[in-house]
Amino acid sequence: MTALLESTDESVVVGGILASIRWRRSARARRIALKIDPQLGAVVITLPPKGSRRAGLALLRGHETWVAERLAALPAPMMIAPGGTIPVSGTSHLIVIDPQHRGAAVIADSQIRLSGQPEFVARRVRDALQSLASEKFRLSAAAKASLIPAALRRVRVKDTTSRWGSCTADGSLMFSWRLVMAPDFVQDYVIAHEVAHLRHMNHAPAFWALTDRLTPHRAAATAWLHAYGAGLLRVG
């Protein structure tokens, strides 16, 4: 993880539009880095300990056209609110407040049904989606790992912005909970990809051959994520 020393925000005109800039100073950074964070809808500039804001702005200006185009291409935010809809496994689900409902939010019949005050809806819906993702991904990963076979230590879900999944050397898999909003064939591919890393911690031909043994959806899923993945990061 990046060791952050500080983080500040400001607004800067980039390519004729007002952009949100998040400045981060990292003890581990060796050079200035610039990226678009689709979840924040902002430009993130990371500075090394002695890097200056002036140098960061110079990098931004040097890539101004690219930054402006990427920001303009971001999907509109999708708010989690009563009466709104969000996808679950690629199918639109209506968020319904039911005063008679008790317990955690329930995801069924193209609805997410829950009770409580409107200001708590977003958190409770996210909790329900994370719980669904954790259970669904764990079962799918375990089933695929048993086919290889490979030792699967544990499966976790987090709210990541840079990757949909990852695999560690100790056999632990991590997935973005937001993946549960994507169609099932996309989930199947990402899980297969990470399970294949339990045998091959690289992207050599043997890794891709194993991935293709575990899922038939590689081409379709990668195309879907390229076209629509950023939209999942805008839900919240």
Side-chain angles (χ1 to χ4, degrees):
M1 296 180 62
T2 301
L4 292 177
L5 301 178
E6 59 183 78
S7 179
T8 59
D9 297 331
E10 69 172 306
S11 296
V12 175
V13 175
V14 180
I17 63 173
L18 188 64
S20 177
I21 310 296
R22 172 156 294 186
W23 295 93
R24 292 176 174 171
R25 190 174 298 277
S26 170
R28 296 181 182 177
R30 294 294 177 264
R31 58 184 179 83
I32 299 172
L34 180 152
K35 71 174 185 176
I36 306 297
D37 187 319
Q39 186 173 5
L40 295 173
V43 182
V44 177
I45 301 176
T46 302
L47 302 175
K50 295 184 179 180
S52 68
R53 179 180 176 278
R54 176 180 294 182
L57 285 175
L59 181 65
L60 175 64
R61 295 306 178 196
H63 296 80
E64 190 163 357
T65 299
W66 176 84
V67 168
E69 290 175 350
R70 289 289 303 275
L71 290 175
L74 287 177
M78 185 182 298
M79 303 304 296
I80 299 176
T85 61
I86 59 172
V88 181
S89 292
T91 300
S92 182
H93 280 58
L94 178 67
I95 300 171
V96 177
I97 297 293
D98 180 357
Q100 304 304 315
H101 181 82
R102 295 292 181 269
V106 172
I107 303 172
D109 302 322
S110 297
Q111 292 185 347
I112 304 177
R113 188 172 292 274
L114 70 163
S115 61
Q117 298 301 312
E119 60 266 30
F120 301 121
V121 166
R123 177 181 59 79
R124 298 193 66 199
V125 169
R126 284 195 297 269
D127 287 346
L129 290 173
Q130 290 180 36
S131 179
L132 174 63
S134 181
E135 179 68 7
K136 189 175 185 181
F137 299 168
R138 181 182 62 81
L139 292 174
S140 179
K144 291 183 183 299
S146 70
L147 297 174
I148 302 179
L152 174 61
R153 184 184 178 199
R154 62 176 176 173
V155 175
R156 296 181 299 160
V157 296
K158 299 176 67 177
D159 194 3
T160 57
T161 60
S162 60
R163 61 181 64 186
W164 297 109
S166 63
C167 175
T168 63
D170 70 354
S172 297
L173 303 185
M174 185 283 299
F175 298 99
S176 168
W177 70 263
R178 294 172 181 274
L179 186 65
V180 81
M181 296 186 282
D184 285 335
F185 73 90
V186 178
Q187 299 174 34
D188 188 74
Y189 162 68
V190 175
I191 293 168
H193 183 115
E194 300 309 331
V195 168
H197 276 312
L198 294 173
R199 291 282 299 275
H200 303 285
M201 289 295 287
N202 53 50
H203 289 99
F207 163 80
W208 291 114
L210 181 56
T211 300
D212 290 338
R213 276 179 51 199
L214 295 172
T215 179
H217 304 301
R218 174 158 59 119
T222 52
W224 191 96
L225 287 169
H226 179 75
Y228 306 111
L232 303 185
L233 299 176
R234 302 289 278 161
V235 177

